[in-house]
């Protein structure tokens, strides 16, 4: 059985003042490529994935989408779910 998974995570420090977006790609429990908004580019963890990361990092449109994910992905979800988490008693 082969399994491929993409995982997107948002880390909120002090509300939405400091937000970090991390996207990971995993194949058979081994992470092979990762984007971190604090770093600002993809990092590959195998020789082939390093080449893939280099290719993705050179695509200006694709990278602009990833770099702005803090706003359109993380902050959007934060606004939607904050009332649910903070107003529950």
């Amino acid at each position: 059985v082969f399994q491929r998974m993409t995982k997107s995570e948002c880390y909120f420090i002090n509300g939405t003042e400091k937000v970090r977006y991390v996207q990971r790609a995993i194949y058979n429990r081994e992470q092979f490529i990762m984007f971190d908004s604090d770093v600002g580019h993809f990092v590959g963890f195998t020789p082939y994935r390093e080449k893939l990361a280099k290719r993705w990092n050179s695509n200006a449109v694709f990278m602009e989408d990833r770099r702005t994910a803090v706003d359109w992905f993380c902050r959007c979800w934060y606004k939607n779910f904050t009332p649910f988490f903070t107003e529950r008693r």
Side-chain angles (χ1 to χ4, degrees), residues 20-24 31 33-45 49-50 52-59 62-64 66-68:
R20 180 178 173 215
Y21 171 76
V22 177
Q23 182 181 23
R24 305 170 195 273
Q31 178 175 295
I33 199 164
M34 179 179 94
F35 175 81
D36 186 338
S37 64
D38 286 351
V39 177
H41 62 270
F42 281 92
V43 177
F45 297 103
R49 300 305 178 181
E50 287 174 0
L52 179 62
K54 186 176 180 181
R55 189 170 67 224
W56 285 358
N57 290 333
S58 66
N59 183 336
F62 181 68
M63 289 306 294
E64 183 65 23
R66 293 296 98 198
R67 288 184 180 124
T68 59

Side-chain angles (χ1 to χ4, degrees), residues 8-21 68-87:
S8 298
E9 303 166 310
C10 298
Y11 298 93
F12 298 96
I13 297 108
N14 200 13
T16 58
E17 189 174 311
K18 172 75 173 123
V19 181
R20 180 178 173 215
Y21 171 76
T68 59
V70 166
D71 294 322
W72 63 262
F73 183 77
C74 295
R75 288 192 173 108
C76 177
W77 282 108
Y78 186 86
K79 288 178 191 174
N80 290 334
F81 283 100
T82 299
F84 176 75
F85 293 131
T86 58
E87 295 174 9

